[in-house]
Amino acid sequence: MKELLVAIIGAGPAGIAAAVELKTAGIKNIAIFEKAGNLCYTIRRLYPEGKRVDRNYKGMNIALEGVCSFETETKEQFLERMEKYIKDYQVEIFYNTEINGLQKNGEFYIIKAGTCSVARAYAVVIATGVFDKPKKPSYPIPEEVKHRVFFELPKELPEGEKILVVGGGNTAAELACILSGRCDVYISYRRPEFFRINEENLRELEKRKDKITFFLGTEIKGVEPEKEGVKVIFTDGYTEVFSKIFYCLGGSTPRNFLEKIGVRFKDSLPDIDEFGESNLERVFLVGDVAVKRGSIVHAFNSAHRAVKRIIEKYSLIYIQNLKFKV
Ligand SMILES: Cc1cc2nc3c(=O)[nH]c(=O)nc-3n(C[C@H](O)[C@H](O)[C@H](O)COP(=O)(O)OP(=O)(O)OC[C@H]3O[C@@H](n4cnc5c(N)ncnc54)[C@H](O)[C@@H]3O)c2cc1C
């Protein structure tokens, strides 16, 4: 079992930024636990190859507050950047370690992966993101059409098919654009116009307005199997058959995991203070896991603020000298 000053759960942008901030401040005894076999698993898994990683993802130019930074670049360049941070700051990551328990033991937390206790840590930063559990529609997806319904990108993008993309955020817009050259693409969004997507994506949609069919202000009531496809039934009674549906509805906070370890919720979000500290003393939530809609800039900034707070509030340098003679 590792003895740590700070354990970080999740090696996405938020977890990596937390590690970099801690190392920059001189905190040595830290490690990240990552469930996947590689860092930034959400980005590797959900971003299409060559995707533009937008700096102003939500259309707002938010200033970066901490050590980690980036400008708009490709998925591959962004991943290289994150790998470089890990190397340069000598951050230890334990891969293939899914954390599913946290238990207070005196002034430490025992971090658990399955039945194994993998670490004992003075403070914990939870940076698991929300994309382990994609949001699903409220209506059932019949068994017969499940192979035609996607909540993340398949390994191979479809070609020459009739595709419905459901959602009105940046992910839906980008997917519709990527597929538009190769498939007959429709996009269904319940609002009459897009309001959550950044200017770059709006411009890209505009460029393709002759190639994409926009079903704005539409709501889906249900889906049914149909010969060679899936029939989509809209609330106004209109129906149309597609060969595949891609839902881009975002992720959902891992509420079960958080409540199991004792994190309190307020409405639908974890109840945290302005620095990300939860009701559990010295347990901080950073990145997507703590907000409704996150971004990489938010992940970096929330990690910076949380680390600054942990160090100051809990005299981490003093504790390090006292308990961890590294
Ligand atoms: C398709 C798509 C496109 C996007 N494009 C952009 C963009 O262009 N610009 C932008 O700013 N944002 C974009 N975003 C949002 C951005 O990806 C997220 O805001 C960002 O990744 C959040 O970082 P995070 O570290 O909080 O979470 P994540 O990136 O989700 O990382 C969480 C990490 O924790 C790991 N993990 C989860 N549970 C556990 C566990 N129990 N134990 C151990 N490890 C665990 C995961 O495997 C993962 O590696 C996009 C999102 C999607 C889905």
Side-chain angles (χ1 to χ4, degrees), residues 9-15 33-36 40-43 46-47 51-55 57 70 97-99 127-132 171 174 286-289 294-297 299:
I9 307 174
F33 297 92
E34 166 58 49
K35 66 178 270 189
C40 288
Y41 183 56
T42 300
I43 291 177
L46 299 183
Y47 288 20
K51 172 185 144 48
R52 199 187 62 243
V53 182
D54 284 327
R55 158 84 166 70
Y57 187 49
F70 78 109
T97 309
E98 179 170 357
I99 303 305
T128 54
V130 293
F131 287 104
D132 264 15
T171 305
E174 287 172 8
V286 297
D288 277 10
V289 73
S295 69
I296 294 167
V297 169

Side-chain angles (χ1 to χ4, degrees), residues 207-220:
K207 272 193 227 160
R208 294 166 175 82
K209 66 175 194 284
D210 299 332
K211 288 191 181 149
I212 299 172
T213 307
F214 294 88
F215 281 175
L216 294 178
T218 58
E219 253 188 274
I220 298 172

